[in-house]
Amino acid sequence: MMIRTNALRCLKPSTGTLNPAGSPSLRATPMRLSGVAVIAAAALMLSGCASDPGRGGGAPGAETDPQAAGHPAASPDAAREIQGPAPRLVLTHAGGITVLDAASLEVVGEADLDGFNRLNPAGDGRHVLVSTGSEFKVFDAGVWTEKHGDHGHSYAARPALTDVGFQASKSGHAVFHAGRTALFSDGSGQVEIFEPSGLASEAARPESDVYTAPEAHHGVAVPLEEGKLLVTLGNDESRRGIAVLAAGTGQDRAELLRNEDCPGVHGEAVAGPDAVVVGCEDGMLVYRDGRITKVPSPDAYGRMGNQAGTPESPVVLGDYKVDRDAILERPTRVSLVNTETAALRLVELGTSYSFRSLGRGPSGESLVLGTDGSLRIIDPLTGSITSTIPVVAAWEEPETWQDPRPALFVQGATAYVTEPSSSAIHAVDLASGKVAKSADLRHVPNELTGVSG
């Protein structure tokens, strides 16, 4: 196997402290590698064996034993080849970030990071982009797979908050689509676009292209096929629609389409093979087959500002709010928008939910976590609730949107649900409809995402 210096890139000390699972203290000072240690780590990578902190023996993605193979054990920081992809979960809490093994729910590592931080998958199955307000910081979750023809080699290392970041003014949404990731800065309207595969390269950060919207606003940008770009339209007083721009660099992008019939435009999702949607206060805009279509709400104010899409279904799951004047509306209906037919269906849940309650299953199922503590599985085509799975205790959505509340994240056939009231996390097997595993956490969880490894 060839030595890859980018695989050792995760060994670089982070700006926050990090501790592996099983450490006697909750926070450990990151190890600094000498030149000799780097050479030793590279030699261990050639041997392709070691054990991953935080993974139990026999679990999928388990590693070979270096000592049994006649090699010395590697340092906890070294990258190790493992038997297959080993997904991990990444969650925020007050003062930092915690990484869990997705199979065992054991803590793999932690990093210090003050402030309220939001998590966005970078799109490469390894990194997470952390929106801190002034920057999109790159967090290396420490698992990845390198493709070699008809097979791949998977690796695991200690997670790290890297020194790599993208400067931003009010860092907001980060969206991966069509092989590229777009970062939107609400304070400037700047859109920075790059290929996330470059995050693992030897360079300090991948090459990027920057486009700036005509006016700054709380917005979003979505990379499209053939180098095109979808961006929201608005300013600091109002948001009104979207524009589709041709391929280009910098500001050299011709406008192809525009629709300004979307008051309060917010959020985005991708459905089926090629549909992109954004929510409006009176419906939803659908960009598909080179056209923008408005799907109106049945109410004068029928907001669908948060959405969840999947390539497995042409239907987008969205929230549905009808009280324009509410400080905090606790809706009990969700919306299902078919991007192929422009049909809208509203589904009554019998319980309220929050913006962190929406997800999609492996076959396109719509998932909603209710404040009654149950996870509902909805057929996206018929709107029928096919299953209701008790997961957490009943809860109430807090009035401050940044405050912790149960969060839903789906990876493969498992739905992960946090429970801040008890500092716990639960793994729901969607096939059996049961909670397969639960674990206590060291901190009260807030945001939740994951990487496939």
Side-chain angles (χ1 to χ4, degrees):
M1 184 183 303
M2 190 165 128
I3 296 176
R4 295 182 58 91
T5 54
N6 66 310
L8 293 176
R9 185 169 168 268
C10 60
L11 308 183
K12 187 175 183 180
S14 70
T15 54
T17 59
L18 198 76
N19 74 301
S23 172
S25 64
L26 289 182
R27 305 286 181 190
T29 302
M31 297 178 63
R32 293 186 179 273
L33 298 183
S34 65
V36 174
V38 171
I39 294 173
L44 286 166
M45 287 176 63
L46 285 172
S47 68
C49 53
S51 64
D52 177 25
R55 288 198 65 85
E63 301 140 24
T64 55
D65 183 350
Q67 294 177 316
H71 301 287
S75 81
D77 284 0
R80 303 159 172 83
E81 185 166 2
I82 55 179
Q83 293 179 357
R88 289 178 174 176
L89 304 175
V90 183
L91 56 89
T92 62
H93 52 80
I97 297 172
T98 294
V99 180
L100 308 178
D101 177 275
S104 67
L105 300 184
E106 294 177 355
V107 176
V108 178
E110 294 184 338
D112 291 331
L113 187 62
D114 292 332
F116 175 71
N117 303 298
R118 308 209 67 186
L119 301 177
N120 313 273
D124 62 351
R126 172 178 175 176
H127 296 91
V128 171
L129 297 166
V130 186
S131 302
T132 66
S134 61
E135 188 179 12
F136 291 93
K137 296 185 71 69
V138 178
F139 185 85
D140 187 349
V143 283
W144 68 96
T145 297
E146 298 177 2
K147 298 298 183 182
H148 291 169
D150 61 352
H151 68 286
H153 291 266
S154 297
Y155 300 88
R158 194 169 82 162
L161 184 61
T162 74
D163 294 328
V164 180
F166 299 83
Q167 295 299 312
S169 172
K170 298 182 180 178
S171 54
H173 289 273
V175 178
F176 171 76
H177 184 55
R180 297 175 299 153
T181 302
L183 313 177
F184 197 97
S185 295
D186 292 349
S188 64
Q190 175 180 290
V191 180
E192 190 160 5
I193 309 159
F194 63 94
E195 294 183 5
S197 58
L199 293 173
S201 70
E202 298 178 11
R205 48 174 278 176
E207 293 184 2
S208 63
D209 179 60
V210 175
Y211 166 82
T212 302
E215 296 178 280
H217 62 285
H218 175 51
V220 67
V222 183
L224 303 174
E225 300 293 342
E226 301 177 341
K228 297 175 184 177
L229 184 67
L230 184 150
V231 294
T232 51
L233 302 171
N235 53 41
D236 58 1
E237 295 182 354
S238 66
R239 306 186 305 273
R240 59 187 182 277
I242 60 174
V244 176
L245 310 178
T249 58
Q251 298 301 110
D252 186 21
R253 292 176 175 271
E255 184 174 307
L256 303 176
L257 291 170
R258 172 183 288 242
N259 186 303
E260 298 189 47
D261 185 18
C262 187
V265 59
H266 187 270
E268 56 73 34
V270 177
D274 61 357
V276 178
V277 307
V278 296
C280 316
E281 292 178 349
D282 60 357
M284 188 175 287
L285 292 185
V286 179
Y287 172 71
R288 179 174 178 270
D289 294 335
R291 298 189 302 273
I292 300 174
T293 302
K294 176 69 174 284
V295 179
S297 299
D299 300 279
Y301 180 87
R303 185 179 188 270
M304 293 181 273
N306 299 284
Q307 315 85 22
T310 171
E312 304 302 321
S313 172
V315 178
V316 172
L317 168 67
D319 59 357
Y320 193 73
K321 296 183 176 182
V322 295
D323 188 350
R324 184 190 299 271
D325 300 321
I327 297 176
L328 174 64
E329 181 177 354
R330 295 185 168 95
T332 61
R333 290 183 292 175
V334 293
S335 57
L336 297 171
V337 175
N338 191 316
T339 59
E340 293 181 344
T341 65
L344 166 64
R345 184 190 301 271
L346 299 178
V347 179
E348 174 62 52
L349 302 177
T351 185
S352 62
Y353 59 94
S354 85
F355 69 95
R356 290 189 184 142
S357 294
L358 308 179
R360 303 303 293 266
S363 299
E365 312 97 310
S366 295
L367 309 179
V368 185
L369 178 67
T371 56
D372 62 354
S374 293
L375 180 66
R376 286 162 175 77
I377 302 179
I378 305 171
D379 184 319
L381 294 176
T382 66
S384 300
I385 299 175
T386 60
S387 181
T388 300
I389 308 169
V391 182
V392 299
W395 52 283
E396 184 176 86
E397 181 179 7
E399 292 188 2
T400 302
W401 71 268
Q402 295 97 333
D403 286 351
R405 82 282 311 281
L408 170 66
F409 172 73
V410 184
Q411 193 171 68
T414 304
Y416 297 93
V417 179
T418 58
E419 190 167 14
S421 63
S422 60
S423 295
I425 187 169
H426 310 278
V428 180
D429 179 13
L430 295 175
S432 66
K434 298 179 180 179
V435 176
K437 186 181 288 290
S438 297
D440 293 330
L441 300 171
R442 301 171 182 173
H443 310 279
V444 176
N446 200 336
E447 296 223 341
L448 174 67
T449 188
V451 297
S452 61

